[in-house]
Amino acid sequence: SLAEMKQIVDYTEAQGLMAIPGFENLAHMDHFLATEEYAYLAECRNGQNSRYYRQGNGVCGCTSHPDFYPLIDKYVEDVMAVFPCKYVHMGMDEIFDFATCPRCQKRLKDENMTKDDLFVEHLLHTHALMQKHGKTMMMWDDIFEQMDVVDR
């Protein structure tokens, strides 16, 4: 719960340490997407198209689904409010199932986009969310080995 997180943050900071929240708001969402309530936000269903998961809904949420950002942003904002530090780690690594669902594939075709474009759109959305709250965003760098998007 948020109250339990607050206790952990308070204890950590009383020890002279900085508690930095870490999220997965794109990949590594498999536990979130495995719930009946949120399965509809998954890129993959029942292992379809999934690189590593042959059961379940894969690891990526669908950023093209109209419910994705309102839900994920609210979750991030609620948890982030418990952490007074200026840093937030947003994950964004190992996006193996990203942009593989029919909704994303349709957007790529209809909007003449690439998977890289869709990722940058997500990255910039997330960065803007952090800036809105005066936070400095951190993320894993492995995506830059897979996509040529650093200059964006």
Side-chain angles (χ1 to χ4, degrees):
S1 72
L2 291 175
E4 291 168 325
M5 281 187 225
K6 179 71 173 128
Q7 288 178 337
I8 293 168
V9 169
D10 290 346
Y11 175 80
T12 301
E13 295 202 341
Q15 306 309 307
L17 301 171
M18 182 185 302
I20 300 174
F23 294 94
E24 296 295 348
N25 77 336
L26 186 56
H28 295 294
M29 295 182 68
D30 40 314
H31 293 289
F32 187 88
L33 300 171
T35 67
E36 190 174 319
E37 185 176 9
Y38 301 119
Y40 75 101
L41 293 173
E43 282 280 353
C44 302
R45 295 295 182 85
N46 299 317
Q48 177 186 8
N49 298 324
S50 180
R51 178 174 173 176
Y52 291 110
Y53 293 81
R54 296 298 167 237
Q55 297 179 8
N57 296 318
V59 299
C60 281
C62 175
T63 61
S64 296
H65 196 291
D67 293 347
F68 183 81
Y69 285 119
L71 179 70
I72 298 303
D73 290 357
K74 172 89 169 82
Y75 162 68
V76 169
E77 289 173 327
D78 287 352
V79 173
M80 199 170 43
V82 175
F83 292 79
C85 75
K86 69 176 186 173
Y87 300 103
V88 178
H89 199 289
M90 294 305 297
M92 296 199 205
D93 62 323
E94 300 178 345
I95 60 169
F96 305 125
D97 301 332
F98 179 62
T100 59
C101 74
R103 185 184 308 264
C104 287
Q105 289 296 306
K106 182 173 179 0
R107 276 195 69 203
L108 294 177
K109 180 181 176 195
D110 292 353
E111 298 175 34
N112 195 30
M113 297 174 75
T114 66
K115 187 175 176 178
D116 290 9
D117 296 330
L118 203 56
F119 175 75
V120 169
E121 179 180 272
H122 175 73
L123 177 66
L124 294 176
H125 171 92
T126 303
H127 186 260
L129 180 66
M130 297 301 104
Q131 285 188 315
K132 173 183 164 187
H133 293 282
K135 303 291 185 176
T136 298
M137 186 176 103
M138 301 185 315
M139 62 182 276
W140 297 113
D141 70 340
D142 68 315
I143 192 64
F144 301 119
E145 296 169 16
Q146 301 168 26
M147 295 181 171
D148 187 21
V149 297
V150 172
D151 61 330
R152 298 198 223 174

